[in-house]
Amino acid sequence: MGKRKSTAKPPPKKRMDKLDTVFCCPFCNHGSSVECRIDMKNLIGEASCRICLESFSTTVNALTEPIDIYSEWIDECERVNNPEDDGA
């Protein structure tokens, strides 16, 4: 008589780390003052600082996270501060 095969347990699911939703302001450098909000109904994402009241808004899609909005804001600040790199 043969031995029955035991069923293997499935591997445990890996936990995804939570992404930040509050960030450091690029203008006043105040930590945890920038809050990102996503309005999926109007497809608009907004990042705004509670201290210096600076804000940035951009279009979003279904995969956009708050870190994406903040990263676009930082990229736009760098692009504005370095106009000689745009081309020509």
Side-chain angles (χ1 to χ4, degrees):
M1 300 297 280
K3 187 175 170 185
R4 290 189 184 196
K5 292 184 180 180
S6 63
T7 58
K9 290 184 181 178
K13 294 188 178 192
K14 294 182 181 177
R15 299 180 69 188
M16 293 291 290
D17 292 334
K18 296 281 185 180
L19 296 175
D20 290 338
T21 57
V22 290
F23 307 97
C24 178
C25 180
F27 293 99
C28 66
N29 290 325
H30 193 274
S32 301
S33 64
V34 175
E35 184 177 73
C36 295
R37 289 184 298 278
I38 299 174
D39 182 8
M40 289 305 293
K41 184 176 179 182
N42 296 323
L43 298 177
I44 295 174
E46 182 182 18
S48 59
C49 178
R50 292 186 300 254
I51 307 300
C52 66
L53 303 178
E54 285 292 327
S55 65
F56 172 77
S57 61
T58 185
T59 58
V60 297
N61 59 33
L63 301 177
T64 304
E65 295 289 331
I67 186 72
D68 299 324
I69 298 169
Y70 180 73
S71 297
E72 284 186 34
W73 189 14
I74 298 298
D75 292 342
E76 187 69 19
C77 290
E78 289 178 357
R79 187 186 67 77
V80 168
N81 289 332
N82 297 325
E84 67 274 357
D85 295 340
D86 285 343

